[in-house]
Amino acid sequence: MLMNKNAQIQDNGSAIMDRLATRVRAARAALGLSRRALSERSGVSPRYLAQIEAGEGNISVILLDRVATALDVRIEDLVSETDPMDADSARVAQLYQAAKNPAILRAQRICLVGLRGAGKSTLGAQAAEKLKIPFVELNDLIEAQSGMPTAEVMALYGQDGYRAAEAQALNEIVASHNKLILAVSGGIVAAPATYAQVLERFHTIWIRTSPAEHMARVRAQGDLRPMEGNPGAMDQLKALLTTRTPDYQRAFAQVDTTSRPVQSSVNDVLTVIAKHRLLTGLGPV
């Protein structure tokens, strides 16, 4: 009889650990937290959290309380026989957390904004390589989806058609990536709804430089159109930059690349990302 009782106790203990593992993983996923981010929130080591999520080892009531608090649930929600964390509850919890902390909506997505020639592509690609995360140019995705260069999309469908393709591509990025660096066109600020989504769903960094460097970099890329046969091109560029600056200033952070070596500017971007913990899932509101 005693042996049967001991076996029952062991079975109950295993069941509790299995429920705990499943529910901690589900609650963490609902909040969009990495295990390291949960560790920072709770003060429980990533190794210990890994054991909990694997259903292994034991956890004290004090540490379990820390984990529950960090996940914004009750201890009993993690171990009770009835599961209070079904799919609907998890979605409601995620919406609630997003309302309390909009950074959750941004996950670990970073977007570089700014006028053409500021250095978004170069800095984004090199920073992403350093961080070992994806780098995506939104225009490349637009071209892949449409099967033609963006210039042809613009020529065939006009500005409105291009903006619609841009919005669709942005939605796909949000749906498919929780961690990346994205570079968008300088004119995305001309589409208020799309730019609002960028600000809501990404940690944004304005990559900026002087009008002279904007022009020089575009010409260095082999595009002579801005100056060719247009003596007022520089004045037009300055006017465009002045017009768009208030929108670019809505970005969370800025990196000025004027007269800066590329590697120094890459380091500036990496510093912003590290300082504000943009890749932890606990970035700024």
Side-chain angles (χ1 to χ4, degrees), residues 110 124-125 128-129 131-136 177 179-182:
I110 297 166
E129 182 178 9
L131 295 166
K132 302 186 185 314
I133 62 175
F135 170 69
V136 177
H177 290 75
K179 179 188 288 188
L180 85 160
I181 296 179
L182 176 72

Side-chain angles (χ1 to χ4, degrees), residues 118-137:
K120 294 171 296 186
S121 299
T122 299
L123 303 188
Q126 293 193 26
E129 182 178 9
K130 193 79 173 177
L131 295 166
K132 302 186 185 314
I133 62 175
F135 170 69
V136 177
E137 294 243 28

Side-chain angles (χ1 to χ4, degrees), residues 82-275:
T82 56
D83 185 2
M85 299 175 63
D86 57 20
D88 289 338
S89 297
R91 281 194 292 270
V92 170
Q94 187 173 19
L95 290 172
Y96 174 67
Q97 289 302 317
K100 290 202 306 180
N101 182 9
I104 290 173
L105 286 175
R106 300 183 186 116
Q108 298 168 67
R109 292 184 290 265
I110 297 166
C111 182
L112 306 184
V113 302
L115 205 59
R116 184 183 177 193
K120 294 171 296 186
S121 299
T122 299
L123 303 188
Q126 293 193 26
E129 182 178 9
K130 193 79 173 177
L131 295 166
K132 302 186 185 314
I133 62 175
F135 170 69
V136 177
E137 294 243 28
L138 195 61
N139 273 346
D140 288 347
L141 183 56
I142 293 171
E143 291 182 353
Q145 290 178 338
S146 64
M148 64 183 76
T150 53
E152 290 186 23
V153 174
M154 189 80 73
L156 282 174
Y157 303 109
Q159 185 80 7
D160 290 344
Y162 171 78
R163 291 301 171 206
E166 184 177 57
Q168 179 181 344
L170 186 68
N171 285 333
E172 182 171 317
I173 288 293
V174 171
S176 60
H177 290 75
N178 280 333
K179 179 188 288 188
L180 85 160
I181 296 179
L182 176 72
V184 296
S185 72
I188 200 167
V189 296
T194 304
Y195 189 48
Q197 186 178 16
V198 169
L199 295 172
E200 179 184 66
R201 293 304 185 108
F202 295 81
H203 301 287
T204 47
I205 303 174
W206 176 21
I207 307 299
R208 56 182 302 185
T209 192
S210 67
E213 290 203 30
H214 273 296
M215 189 67 74
R217 291 171 186 173
V218 171
R219 288 172 60 85
Q221 294 168 8
D223 189 350
L224 304 180
R225 290 172 300 172
M227 296 293 287
E228 195 171 321
N230 186 4
M234 181 58 76
D235 289 339
Q236 293 174 10
L237 175 61
K238 290 178 179 178
L240 181 62
L241 188 56
T242 298
T243 299
R244 290 182 176 173
T245 289
D247 289 314
Y248 292 146
Q249 286 177 330
R250 295 171 64 192
F252 167 72
Q254 301 181 19
V255 169
D256 193 336
T257 64
T258 306
S259 301
R260 298 274 288 166
V262 170
Q263 191 55 55
S264 296
S265 294
V266 172
N267 290 339
D268 291 342
V269 172
L270 294 172
T271 297
V272 168
I273 292 171
K275 178 181 177 181

Side-chain angles (χ1 to χ4, degrees), residues 18-33 35 38 49 52-54 67 71-73 77-78 83-94 97:
D18 288 342
R19 286 198 297 271
L20 177 61
T22 299
R23 291 174 190 173
V24 169
R25 289 196 303 266
R28 182 167 64 80
L31 295 179
L33 295 176
R35 192 176 291 152
L38 177 57
L49 289 172
I52 294 171
E53 293 190 2
V67 173
L71 293 171
D72 290 306
V73 298
D77 291 339
L78 295 177
D83 185 2
M85 299 175 63
D86 57 20
D88 289 338
S89 297
R91 281 194 292 270
V92 170
Q94 187 173 19
Q97 289 302 317

